[in-house]
Each structure stands twice: as C-alpha cells, then as structure tokens.
Amino acid sequence: METIIPIEKTNPTSLERAKRTGLWLKIILTIIVTGISILMILPFLWMISTSFKINGEVFNYPIDWIPNTWHFENYKKVWAGTDPFYLFYWNSVKITGITVAGNLFTSAMAGYAFAKIRFKGRNFLFLLYLSTMMIPGQVLLVPRFILFDQMKLINTHYALILPGLFTVFGTFLMRQFFSSLPNELLEAGRVDGAGYWRTFWQICLPLTKPAIVTLLILSFTWHWNDYENPLILLRDKDLFTIPIGLNSYVEEFGTNYVLMMAASVSALVPLLIVVIVCQKWFVEGIASSGLKG
C-alpha cells in the first residue's frame, strides 16, 4: 500500500499578518527617510529664501520661509556690483573645466593600462600608487607650495590646474571598470589589427560611459567647491574662485548675508545641472565599479 503523506496547509492568517507587518515596516521606513530628506533640504530652502530678503529679515524668528517682499535686485547687485562675482564665476568655470577634462583623460588611460596591459611590476606599481591615498592632502600643502614657488606658479591658475590633472581615485575607479570588461573584446580588436591606442579609444572607452560620468560628477564637485587650495595659492582678487570670492561679502562691520546667499544660489546652479543630467549614468557607474557597500 502506498503511504499517503498529508500536506500541511499554510495558515492564511499568518500570511496576512506577515504582509501587514511588511507593509507597516515600509510605511514607517518611508516616513523616516522622508523626514531625514526634509531635514537635509531645509538649509538649501533657507538659502534660497534668504537670497530674496533684506538683511533685517534674515534672522527673523519664526523663520519667514516665504519673503514678504521678493528682492530680485540682490542678484543684480551680486552680478553687477562692485565685487567682480562674474569674474569669480568665470575663474571657477575655467579651472574646473580644464581640470576635470584632463583628469578624465589621464585617469582613463592609466586605468586602462593597469587593467588590460600586462607589464612587469604592474600590480606592485598600482598598489604603490594606490597607497598614496592614505596621505592626507594637508600634509602635501607645504611641499606643494614650496615646489610651485620655485616654479613661479604661485598666484596663477596653473597651481590649481596641474595637481588636479592626475588623481589616484580616478585611476582606481577607471581601473575597476576596465577590469570588468571581457578580454575577448581586446582579442577581437587585435585580430583586426588594432593596437593599444585604437583598442582603448574605439573599443573600451565607449563602454565606460557610466564610470566616466561618475568620475566627472565627483571631480567636478570637488574642484568647484575647493576652498583650501585657492586660499593658499592665490593672492590677487582677479584670480579668485567662487569659494574664495564669497568672502567679499564679509564686511568690516558685519556680513551681507543676502548677497552671500544670492551668490551661493548662483554657484549651486552648475552642480545641479551636472548631477541632474548625469544622474542615470552616475548610479550605474557606482554600482558597476566595485564601490558598492
């Protein structure tokens, strides 16, 4: 005789309880994340609101999130005032644009070399290069200042552009992404007679858009907001970048907060544009470059 094994039936009540528990957990988590997001965005909303006020309304309590009167002339004073904010803006655009372009190019080539070109001591050189990330940037300020002083580059934009053309992190990021590409692509290129440069430029580089965009956003954000290096290496006001130029609104008898906030809002626009346009590839690049938690 065949033995009939009874099949245990799942209690529908327990399933419903599990679904309800999961639903409530999602709702609670959503509320928490939403609350944290609001707390993080409040300073930006205050900055935008303050840029349309007068100084006497800045520290009103409770906070007037919507100004009683919108003073659009604050932006006019920033861009057409006595302080050359337009020049600070142009200096930041020039320095950041050149530095980011050079950084993308050198990091892509170095990452490709460390990932796909076999040469003696490749792994040792990469680890040695990567170990320099442990050196705090502040430690290099004095040697860098002495070096640039000997090269007559102090108080020039070259002192800010040249060090930014080569970054350890950029090389690491690109190397991680190039390592994920199958070697069959390179072998197919060699069969067609492609050398290292053609393989890099026509085969591998077009496939690294997510990594390139990720590095672009991170590098652009860093150099656009850099305060320490321009503060030490620049002296003439006509050479100042936006972070240093904002000090122009700190006056002898106080700070002109409304103009400073208007200038800060103007400085935030390029960052928002870059992040919004490149967000899709940025997420993909982080997920596929070995940087996941």
Side-chain angles (χ1 to χ4, degrees), residues 242-283:
I242 291 177
I244 304 299
L246 290 177
N247 289 329
S248 302
Y249 304 107
V250 180
E251 301 169 352
E252 183 178 357
F253 300 103
T255 302
N256 197 328
Y257 290 102
V258 295
L259 296 187
M260 181 178 286
M261 293 302 107
S264 299
V265 172
S266 300
L268 191 63
V269 172
L271 285 175
L272 290 177
I273 294 175
V274 170
V275 172
I276 292 173
V277 172
C278 304
Q279 182 180 11
K280 174 184 176 182
W281 296 282
F282 176 73
V283 174

